[in-house]
Amino acid sequence: MHVFKQHTALTEWLNSSKAKDQTIGFVPTMGALHEGHMALVKQAVQQNSVVVASVFINPKQFNNISDYEKYPVTEQADITMLEKAGCHAVYIPAVEDIYPETAVHIPLSIPHLENILEGPNRPGHFDGVVQVVHRLFSIVNPDRAYFGLKDFQQCKVIQALCKEYFRNIHLEFCPTLREESGLAKSSRNMRLTDKGKFKAALLYKALKMVAADCYRIPLQEALKEAGQYLAEQGIIVEYLSCANSETFELTEDWQTNNRNIVLIAAYVEHIRLIDNLQF
């Protein structure tokens, strides 16, 4: 597997692959890789001639400098995992290689995507996501790009980005991988103690509680009961909301045709976790 630190070398290598009409699959990550990332890579390997991953902890996605500084860095382990999964190249750039000049705001035509849930709770986060994905897509120019549905709102933002700027790239959104407990696999889980992981799995339990109440009781009552359950377990809930999974507009009522998606952000051991469930 090739390891690239500069985008110029990566682009040169990719151009040789594209000259042979080989399809390019791309898996952007922030490192601290786990089985969820490997599932994306393995799907990319099945669907493309060449697979590239990136490992870049994007400072522009963090509104909390402490969170950025504590984000796990496991570069050598990441390289080993990617190679075992069949990845052909990994791009591990410095900040200067991604942002050679002052980054500019890249507007989306669907502003509400950035103004609800994760948006106001993480100011500037999606602006950072759009900037880095725009830059990475411009460098790699893949045929397909792969993202996990655990970050559902991010997937919607990237979908809007591609609709406006990268119509040639096909997006693949892959299901959330979970521990046996139901805990969504996440790089942030590395910072949890065993007790914390047990408690964090209750987020998924709460989401399933809401889904079990679908149409049985009013949506807002179901959300309130699930929130109270988590509070009783000592979990600090930032938001627990339901949206239409297609339009991603928040809703006060149950949606028809399996378009409900319940999303949560909560703190366990001072670590912010997100999850969602579609039904």
Side-chain angles (χ1 to χ4, degrees), residues 99-166:
Y99 301 117
E101 301 175 355
T102 302
V104 296
H105 174 69
I106 300 169
L108 299 179
S109 62
I110 313 177
H112 86 268
L113 289 175
E114 302 175 90
N115 297 331
I116 60 174
L117 302 182
E118 290 294 287
N121 285 290
R122 301 181 69 185
H125 170 70
F126 286 125
D127 193 33
V129 168
V130 168
Q131 286 183 39
V132 75
V133 174
H134 189 284
R135 174 67 170 154
L136 289 169
F137 280 179
S138 298
I139 291 170
V140 179
N141 190 24
D143 296 282
R144 300 181 184 90
Y146 298 77
F147 297 87
L149 282 169
K150 182 178 76 70
D151 297 303
F152 189 86
Q153 188 172 359
Q154 175 175 282
C155 289
K156 286 292 187 181
V157 168
I158 293 169
Q159 193 173 48
L161 174 71
C162 279
K163 186 176 181 179
E164 294 176 47
Y165 301 100
F166 299 99

Side-chain angles (χ1 to χ4, degrees), residues 6-275:
Q6 285 83 35
H7 73 275
T8 50
L10 171 62
T11 300
E12 183 179 348
W13 181 78
L14 284 171
N15 285 341
S16 66
S17 298
K18 292 171 183 176
K20 302 172 186 174
D21 291 327
Q22 294 178 316
T23 56
I24 308 297
F26 181 44
V27 183
T29 83
M30 292 210 301
L33 303 183
H34 50 72
E35 291 178 15
H37 295 109
M38 293 307 101
L40 301 180
V41 172
K42 290 174 182 177
Q43 183 168 334
V45 169
Q46 291 176 353
Q47 297 178 332
N48 301 277
S49 309
V50 174
V51 174
V52 179
S54 63
V55 173
F56 178 65
I57 304 175
N58 182 23
K60 296 184 180 295
Q61 287 178 230
F62 293 83
N63 59 302
N64 184 330
I65 188 63
S66 175
D67 195 24
Y68 173 64
E69 291 172 345
K70 292 178 180 178
Y71 195 87
V73 178
T74 57
E75 183 175 307
Q76 193 52 54
D78 292 346
I79 291 172
T80 299
M81 289 182 70
L82 288 168
E83 190 165 22
K84 287 183 178 179
C87 193
H88 301 96
V90 59
Y91 175 44
I92 310 177
V95 172
E96 296 75 20
D97 202 57
I98 291 291
Y99 301 117
E101 301 175 355
T102 302
V104 296
H105 174 69
I106 300 169
L108 299 179
S109 62
I110 313 177
H112 86 268
L113 289 175
E114 302 175 90
N115 297 331
I116 60 174
L117 302 182
E118 290 294 287
N121 285 290
R122 301 181 69 185
H125 170 70
F126 286 125
D127 193 33
V129 168
V130 168
Q131 286 183 39
V132 75
V133 174
H134 189 284
R135 174 67 170 154
L136 289 169
F137 280 179
S138 298
I139 291 170
V140 179
N141 190 24
D143 296 282
R144 300 181 184 90
Y146 298 77
F147 297 87
L149 282 169
K150 182 178 76 70
D151 297 303
F152 189 86
Q153 188 172 359
Q154 175 175 282
C155 289
K156 286 292 187 181
V157 168
I158 293 169
Q159 193 173 48
L161 174 71
C162 279
K163 186 176 181 179
E164 294 176 47
Y165 301 100
F166 299 99
R167 289 180 176 269
N168 60 307
I169 299 176
H170 177 75
L171 296 174
E172 294 279 355
F173 297 126
C174 305
T176 302
L177 258 65
R178 300 183 180 277
E179 307 286 353
E180 289 186 13
S181 64
L183 174 62
K185 290 183 180 292
S186 169
S187 301
R188 295 176 187 270
N189 294 350
M190 294 181 184
R191 296 171 55 195
L192 294 169
T193 65
D194 289 341
K195 183 178 180 180
K197 289 178 182 178
F198 176 82
K199 185 175 285 190
L202 300 180
L203 271 63
Y204 185 54
K205 183 176 181 180
L207 294 175
K208 292 197 294 183
M209 287 172 58
V210 176
D213 284 333
C214 187
Y215 306 124
R216 188 179 67 83
I217 61 176
L219 169 60
Q220 296 308 307
E221 186 177 334
L223 292 172
K224 182 178 179 181
E225 288 183 0
Q228 288 176 338
Y229 166 74
L230 292 173
E232 290 168 0
Q233 310 305 315
I235 295 173
I236 301 172
V237 177
E238 191 170 78
Y239 64 74
L240 177 59
S241 304
C242 185
N244 181 301
S245 60
E246 290 191 6
T247 65
F248 205 70
E249 293 177 336
L250 297 181
T251 177
E252 297 288 320
D253 303 299
W254 299 111
Q255 301 295 287
T256 58
N257 300 321
N258 298 316
R259 291 177 182 170
N260 297 287
I261 180 164
V262 180
L263 307 102
I264 188 170
Y267 286 86
V268 176
E269 296 182 332
H270 306 291
I271 298 165
R272 188 177 188 275
L273 304 170
I274 63 171
D275 202 352

